[in-house]
Amino acid sequence: MSRYIENQIIELHSPRNLIVKKYPLDIGNLKDNEVAAETLYSAISPGTEVAAYRGDPSLRPSEAYPRVVGYCNVAEVIDKGSSVSTYEVGDRILTFQSHRSAFVCSEESIITNLPNNVDLMKASTTYLFHLGYNALLRGNLKPGHNVAIVGLGTLGLTAVALASMFGANVYAFSNQSTSLELAKEFGSRKTFRKNNQNASEVINQDTGSTGIDIVVNTSNSWKDWKLAISLPRKGGKICVLGFPGRTEPKPDFNPLDSQFFYDNQLTLIACGYSPDHIIDAHDVRFTVKRNCKFILDLIVGNKLPASHIISSVFDWYDIQKAYEAIADRKIFYLTGILKWK
């Protein structure tokens, strides 16, 4: 039997043109494996979402608009299909749903349910930590590795916190004083401005001439790429979370200059993707669900500084204010949380 609730979905129809679509959502005819839920909080991805909002060049040849935005969603289950066994009505869940007030999804697509003692706003930042975690996994981070993080926005700072917690010696690079201070709080061993001409010498001395094992580059700037490719030791790795050159003209230097890339036998690793298969650990150990559950446990245990990356909380209908605050860059800003109920 049909049963409808009001639903609002935020769509981006062109740069800086957000539309709220309203329509009734039928939650009375769920399939056996479906869950209906109402959103409580959703976190803004300050890179992906704000780039689309500004109208930055698309990452791949496809229609950029219209599009839904967001993928960091905390919701409450309000109904479920007959075969759903993992979730109950009233459970709080973590999902990849976009910014919307309610939704119906399959049981399998839900990341995990949330423990009663978790701060729901902090929980909504889980995937923002996951991206840095993915880069460290892809770089095969080991305790004692020397890791340089280039760019200290949200992803850079979450990578600093994770790498430090996992026993790495972290060297953080940014031109923002607030970011550098936060990097210290998050466990960075040393911090540098990007134009510091003595950084390599300081790092070499500090690491006993070992040098940087892994660079995590979160920046889109060619200038920052030039820094990133010059930092690793011979045989080092560059884990790429940014999109070098996305909003810039062609660089005035060779981004694979042989004096760095060939001579140092560097490995470049594209990061950000983790398998989303529901599969036994002996086949694929690190999947999105397992990774996010691990990070969520760290957040619940106050081992990750989730509250420090939340700059503001907005009512959901003020999402444009949130986007403008992040895109403006006149003040230091990490991520915003949208409150739905």
Side-chain angles (χ1 to χ4, degrees):
M1 180 181 297
S2 294
R3 179 161 61 97
Y4 293 94
I5 60 172
E6 187 181 68
N7 189 23
Q8 293 100 2
I9 296 179
I10 297 172
E11 291 186 357
L12 185 62
H13 280 234
S14 60
R16 288 185 156 81
N17 179 24
L18 288 167
I19 302 292
V20 177
K21 281 194 171 181
K22 298 182 180 180
Y23 69 91
L25 179 67
D26 185 2
I27 64 170
N29 289 300
L30 297 177
K31 295 178 182 177
D32 291 348
N33 70 330
E34 287 184 332
V35 166
E38 290 184 327
T39 301
L40 302 174
Y41 298 98
S42 56
I44 292 172
S45 170
T48 302
E49 291 181 52
V50 178
Y53 177 74
R54 284 194 304 258
D56 291 355
S58 180
L59 296 176
R60 54 192 63 84
S62 61
E63 291 293 328
Y65 309 98
R67 62 188 290 169
V68 294
V69 285
Y71 49 79
C72 303
N73 177 292
V74 167
E76 181 176 345
V77 176
I78 58 174
D79 210 341
K80 65 172 192 169
S82 59
S83 70
V84 174
S85 59
T86 309
Y87 307 101
E88 300 294 339
V89 172
D91 282 356
R92 276 68 182 286
I93 56 175
L94 184 67
T95 82
F96 289 129
Q97 293 292 318
S98 66
H99 299 308
R100 59 184 64 207
S101 63
F103 55 88
V104 171
C105 68
S106 68
E107 178 182 20
E108 294 77 17
S109 68
I110 297 170
I111 301 172
T112 187
N113 50 16
L114 300 173
N116 292 329
N117 61 334
V118 68
D119 181 305
L120 297 178
M121 285 192 285
K122 291 182 184 179
S124 70
T125 69
T126 297
Y127 197 75
L128 300 180
F129 282 93
H130 177 269
L131 291 168
Y133 181 53
N134 173 270
L136 298 174
L137 287 176
R138 298 274 288 152
N140 196 24
L141 176 76
K142 291 181 171 58
H145 265 162
N146 303 317
V147 178
I149 313 289
V150 177
L152 298 179
T154 305
L155 299 189
L157 285 168
T158 57
V160 167
L162 287 160
S164 300
M165 190 184 66
F166 296 154
N169 302 308
V170 178
Y171 302 87
F173 289 79
S174 176
N175 284 336
Q176 292 185 310
S177 298
T178 306
S179 289
L180 293 171
E181 288 302 315
L182 276 176
K184 291 177 185 176
E185 289 184 33
F186 290 7
S188 180
R189 184 180 176 95
K190 290 186 182 298
T191 60
F192 303 93
R193 291 194 172 269
K194 295 173 185 176
N195 59 356
N196 188 322
Q197 301 297 315
N198 298 319
S200 293
E201 182 180 345
V202 171
I203 291 172
N204 195 50
Q205 291 177 350
D206 198 61
T207 63
S209 299
T210 300
I212 296 295
D213 302 291
I214 300 169
V215 175
V216 178
N217 180 37
T218 70
S219 173
N220 294 351
S221 162
W222 280 126
K223 188 174 182 179
D224 290 350
W225 178 258
K226 191 173 185 178
L227 169 63
I229 202 171
S230 69
L231 285 171
R233 62 168 173 79
K234 189 169 185 177
K237 301 171 185 176
I238 302 179
C239 297
V240 186
L241 274 176
F243 306 101
R246 183 178 184 182
T247 59
E248 297 182 344
K250 292 180 180 180
D252 59 1
F253 67 96
N254 180 359
L256 295 177
D257 195 313
S258 59
Q259 67 173 309
F260 302 119
F261 183 61
Y262 178 80
D263 288 359
N264 285 337
Q265 293 292 287
L266 301 182
T267 299
L268 306 183
I269 305 172
C271 300
Y273 170 77
S274 292
D276 59 0
H277 312 302
I278 299 175
I279 192 169
D280 288 343
H282 74 269
D283 290 315
V284 179
R285 171 60 181 86
F286 294 100
T287 63
V288 167
K289 284 193 176 186
R290 291 191 186 100
N291 294 350
C292 286
K293 286 178 182 178
F294 170 65
I295 291 168
L296 184 62
D297 284 345
L298 296 178
I299 291 174
V300 171
N302 293 315
K303 295 178 181 178
L304 287 176
S307 61
H308 287 68
I309 68 169
I310 300 172
S311 297
S312 296
V313 179
F314 297 85
D315 290 315
W316 68 267
Y317 46 79
D318 285 329
I319 186 173
Q320 189 142 7
K321 291 182 182 178
Y323 280 172
E324 288 290 343
I326 301 171
D328 191 21
R329 295 186 177 178
K330 289 183 180 178
I331 60 171
F332 179 78
Y333 205 97
L334 293 174
T335 192
I337 304 296
L338 301 180
K339 180 172 63 175
W340 288 86
K341 296 193 61 146

